[in-house]
Amino acid sequence: MENRQKEKVWFITGSSRGFGKIWTEAALKRGDKVAATARDIRSIATLKETYGDQVLILELDVTNVTQVQNAITRANEYFGRLDIVFNNAGYSLVGTIEESGTDEVKALYETNIIGPVHVIQAALPILRAQGYGHILGTSSAVGIYSNPLIGYYCSSKFAFEAIHDSLAKEVAAFGIKVTLIEPGAYNTEFGSTESLKIASKKLSDYDDLKNQLMKNLQKLERGNPLATTNAIFAVVDAENPPLRLLLGKNDLPHIQQIYSERIQEWETWKPISVAAQG
């Protein structure tokens, strides 16, 4: 069964800031219905004043599996269906591989990987029963390649990508679509204390690397996050949406170069690889 209704029902995590806030408000402005979630509902309370019954405000920490299950159930009961389930909550950990403590890495993975899995697993029984639905996840261009100083954040997005890649193959037969949204560099609140944590350990050995990277960051061309809404709508309105969608113009050339270099390296070492077959 395919959902033919023009008006869509969204469930969005991380609705209080950054892309999540922009996409939540854009969906409401175009007349869709949204279950908007945040760890602190005071940060999104004004949505109710503006949009009334069109929006459902839910307190949600994605690391709390019971809270996730209750939020998904409430949203489905309130709106009668779920068309789009959008995992957007997450944050970055800044620090080298050596500097970042294992507790900091575990906390990052709990939010960036396990949290979205909670949402997906809670939503799938509803979407399968409907016979349709679209699961979206905010990944990153650094879910495709890694950068220094944010290696653990990159690794969380690598895992996020793999999970959604497998998921797409598993749920296609149920009429459920899956799309990874992969933003490049944008002027969002991703650098705020809520969205970015600094590793507690600091080693002076890496100062030169950090200083160079900071200089490079200052030169980085950043996109306008408000310009991304039409891309999101194009994906959710498409009959055959992509599994992956890059946002921005700068990452595809970089990714093409990286993949070319990887293939070249594999080709160079091909005799060794083939000999290892036995």
Side-chain angles (χ1 to χ4, degrees), residues 173-277:
F174 305 122
I176 301 169
K177 300 163 185 174
V178 178
T179 299
L180 286 153
I181 305 298
E182 302 164 327
Y186 277 85
N187 280 316
T188 66
E189 298 160 295
F190 202 62
S192 68
T193 53
E194 292 84 6
S195 299
L196 183 149
K197 298 188 187 304
I198 308 292
S200 54
K201 188 177 181 181
K202 291 177 177 59
L203 298 171
S204 60
D205 305 64
Y206 295 104
D207 284 351
D208 289 345
L209 173 65
K210 291 176 184 177
N211 291 336
Q212 186 57 51
L213 287 170
M214 287 305 297
K215 287 179 184 175
N216 293 342
L217 278 175
Q218 288 167 4
K219 300 174 191 172
L220 197 62
E221 181 184 6
R222 298 179 184 276
N224 176 6
L226 296 174
T228 63
T229 56
N230 285 340
I232 301 300
F233 292 151
V235 166
V236 300
D237 293 339
E239 190 172 340
N240 296 301
L243 174 59
R244 291 179 172 87
L245 179 75
L246 286 167
L247 294 182
K249 66 180 183 180
N250 295 322
D251 282 290
L252 184 55
H254 186 46
I255 291 164
Q256 287 170 326
Q257 179 187 344
I258 288 168
Y259 272 57
S260 174
E261 289 170 357
R262 286 182 187 177
I263 290 169
Q264 185 179 353
E265 187 170 61
W266 282 320
E267 289 284 358
T268 300
W269 285 82
K270 184 179 177 181
I272 305 297
S273 302
V274 171
Q277 177 72 20

Side-chain angles (χ1 to χ4, degrees), residues 20 95 146 238:
S146 271

Side-chain angles (χ1 to χ4, degrees), residues 1 124 127-133 170-177:
M1 176 185 170
L124 276 177
L127 303 186
R128 280 191 287 105
Q130 290 177 169
Y132 65 86
E170 293 165 355
V171 301
F174 305 122
I176 301 169
K177 300 163 185 174

